[in-house]
Amino acid sequence: MFLDKLCKTNPNLIQIAVHMHQQEQIMPDTYVVDVDQFLENAKAILQKANEQNIELYYMLKQIGRNPYLAKELEKIGYKGAVVVDFKEAEVMMKNQLHIAHAGHLVQIPSMMVNRLVAYGCDYVTVYSYEKLVEVNEAAKKIGMIQKVCVRVIGENDRIYSGQTAGFYLNQLEELVQKSKDLTHIELAGVDNFPCFLYDEATKEIKAQENLHTVLKARKILEALGCHIQNVNAPSATCVHTLELMKQYPDITSAEPGHGLSGTTPYHINHDTVEIPSILYLSEVSHVLDNHAYIYGGGYYRRGHIQNALVGASYEELKKDSVILPDMDSIDYHFGLKNPHNIGDSAILCFRYQIFVTRSDVCLIKGIQSGTPEIVGVYDSLGGKK
């Protein structure tokens, strides 16, 4: 999906990954990250957001909830993390990172609400009154007011399978009335997902009906007496998307994820500020029936994997087609159309979600300056190896 763009814009990352693999410094089934380029992308997005007074929460589940990158992002000025689920919240808490937003796609479980609120979280999203009560009780125990975002949903919104949740607009008045007795929460924000998406037909990022639902919800809640401080509009956040947000001045926060690594679908067909800063490294395991097979483990079914570069050195790399395992099978291996030498490096670049894989993450600094150094190897859930 991103292999051609990676070859064009960041060949140094490919060269270093192959070299280090052949020198037995990096194992197969490893995502290799160009840390310096990742942070350059992040700085460009942050600068654009600052110009528009939009607060950014970094999203790192796709890159394995990596605490090293999280700390670097906070150093350059990112407010804090948006955690996609409660297990990611635990990683951030373990590493003393700031949580800016929690509970949006996956609410915080009952037994964890007290701990999260006590730890500190700028905004907690809820999509049930019962969860709102739990957050209120947790805040009451420590004598503070917890700001809450309401996840809203419209009849015509795009909702991904497995993410069905939210308050319909006609339920907001009842929610506000019921919450008046909850003295330790403040209904201070609204959110929905996805608010922006890439359109395959036009090759452009477009605002979704979900965004309009959020904007309507803000007006409804403010008319009901709520002071809405946060209009959160996530998905596909990058420099280009932030430019589009100028049309919607009510937006106050966004959540770059794939934009940080230059790997949103928009980045495939456009020359962008962000440059791809990650690849997937594997190795030829065996050959059977004239097909080579490389080690798997990093498969994501929406990854759109098509091709790989295969060879024992950067100069010898040849492009080959990838044969994916079927949806009913575990990705122990990926097939290749042609045979290759056992031990050859394989470089792939596709849409990734490391936290749902069993892959490792290798962070390398100094790639662009010619002084590459591995600064850490992590598992797919943010644990240091």
Side-chain angles (χ1 to χ4, degrees):
M1 187 176 183
F2 297 100
L3 191 58
D4 289 343
K5 179 56 71 76
L6 182 70
C7 291
K8 178 182 177 183
T9 60
N10 198 351
N12 291 339
L13 173 56
I14 300 173
Q15 184 173 7
I16 293 303
V18 172
H19 175 76
M20 286 188 164
H21 172 247
Q22 290 297 319
Q23 294 295 312
E24 300 185 352
Q25 295 177 267
I26 308 177
M27 289 281 282
D29 185 28
T30 296
Y31 285 89
V32 182
V33 180
D34 178 347
V35 172
D36 298 329
Q37 185 57 60
F38 182 92
L39 293 176
E40 285 301 309
N41 294 343
K43 290 174 185 176
I45 298 169
L46 182 62
Q47 180 179 343
K48 179 60 66 174
N50 287 342
E51 291 172 2
Q52 298 173 207
N53 294 315
I54 292 176
E55 200 165 60
L56 293 185
Y57 315 142
Y58 57 82
M59 167 66 78
L60 294 183
K61 47 91 176 175
Q62 75 286 344
I63 207 159
R65 304 171 176 162
N66 192 271
Y68 179 95
L69 294 175
K71 290 174 183 177
E72 293 300 309
L73 290 169
E74 291 190 12
K75 284 179 185 177
I76 64 175
Y78 277 72
K79 179 67 183 295
V82 50
V83 293
V84 73
D85 61 18
F86 55 93
K87 292 184 178 180
E88 188 168 355
E90 289 181 318
V91 173
M92 299 303 165
M93 292 163 71
K94 178 181 177 181
N95 288 278
Q96 293 82 52
L97 292 154
H98 184 71
I99 300 178
H101 187 192
H104 186 181
L105 294 187
V106 180
Q107 288 191 122
I108 303 304
S110 300
M111 65 184 292
M112 190 179 172
V113 170
N114 285 338
R115 185 154 57 98
L116 178 74
V117 172
Y119 177 82
C121 178
D122 296 345
Y123 291 94
V124 176
T125 284
V126 301
Y127 36 89
S128 71
Y129 173 72
E130 292 78 6
K131 190 62 62 178
L132 189 62
V133 171
E134 290 179 3
V135 173
N136 180 75
E137 290 304 308
K140 187 176 182 180
K141 287 177 182 177
I142 57 175
M144 56 93 72
I145 306 296
Q146 176 63 58
K147 291 183 179 180
V148 170
C149 283
V150 179
R151 180 173 178 178
V152 292
I153 184 173
E155 297 286 350
N156 298 314
D157 287 358
R158 178 193 292 266
I159 304 297
Y160 291 115
S161 177
Q163 299 179 16
T164 305
F167 293 96
Y168 288 106
L169 298 181
N170 61 10
Q171 296 177 310
L172 294 179
E173 184 172 1
E174 180 185 3
L175 176 67
V176 171
Q177 292 302 320
K178 290 174 69 175
S179 68
K180 285 184 176 179
D181 294 331
L182 304 180
T183 56
H184 287 73
I185 57 96
E186 179 184 2
L187 298 181
V190 286
D191 53 37
N192 194 332
F193 181 90
C195 290
F196 292 88
L197 273 185
Y198 180 72
D199 186 292
E200 292 284 354
T202 63
K203 310 296 184 188
E204 290 293 336
I205 293 172
K206 294 184 176 181
Q208 301 298 296
E209 187 62 32
N210 305 51
L211 175 62
H212 299 295
T213 297
V214 167
L215 298 178
K216 291 174 186 175
R218 172 186 173 273
K219 290 182 178 180
I220 292 171
L221 289 169
E222 291 204 326
L224 292 167
C226 300
H227 176 41
I228 300 302
Q229 304 154 47
N230 192 358
V231 177
N232 182 242
S235 193
T237 304
C238 59
V239 169
H240 178 70
T241 307
L242 287 163
E243 287 282 357
L244 298 178
M245 288 182 184
K246 289 179 180 178
Q247 303 172 46
Y248 308 97
D250 287 342
I251 294 173
T252 64
S253 67
E255 302 174 349
H258 279 282
L260 299 171
S261 54
T263 53
T264 78
Y266 181 82
H267 290 85
I268 299 172
N269 299 302
H270 299 269
D271 292 327
T272 57
V273 175
E274 305 91 356
I275 290 173
S277 59
I278 186 169
L279 58 77
Y280 181 70
L281 171 71
S282 189
E283 174 185 308
V284 175
S285 163
H286 59 280
V287 176
L288 182 65
D289 296 331
N290 223 31
H291 295 295
Y293 289 85
I294 63 175
Y295 295 98
Y299 182 54
Y300 173 56
R301 62 183 178 275
R302 294 175 61 208
H304 302 286
I305 302 172
Q306 297 174 324
N307 300 306
L309 297 175
V310 188
S313 69
Y314 177 74
E315 292 74 21
E316 297 174 13
L317 291 176
K318 294 180 180 179
K319 184 181 284 189
D320 201 353
S321 300
V322 177
I323 304 168
L324 296 174
D326 61 49
M327 294 295 291
D328 296 327
S329 299
I330 297 171
D331 62 326
Y332 291 113
H333 301 95
F334 299 150
L336 298 175
K337 182 178 179 181
N338 298 297
H340 297 275
N341 295 322
I342 308 303
D344 275 0
S345 303
I347 300 296
L348 298 85
C349 194
F350 49 87
R351 188 165 178 83
Y352 62 100
Q353 291 287 354
I354 297 173
F355 82 118
V356 299
T357 74
R358 56 190 185 277
S359 304
D360 288 339
V361 179
C362 178
L363 306 181
I364 304 178
K365 293 183 67 175
I367 288 177
Q368 304 305 329
S369 63
T371 56
E373 173 193 359
I374 295 175
V375 295
V377 178
Y378 295 78
D379 63 28
S380 61
L381 300 178
K384 185 76 178 288
K385 299 194 75 172

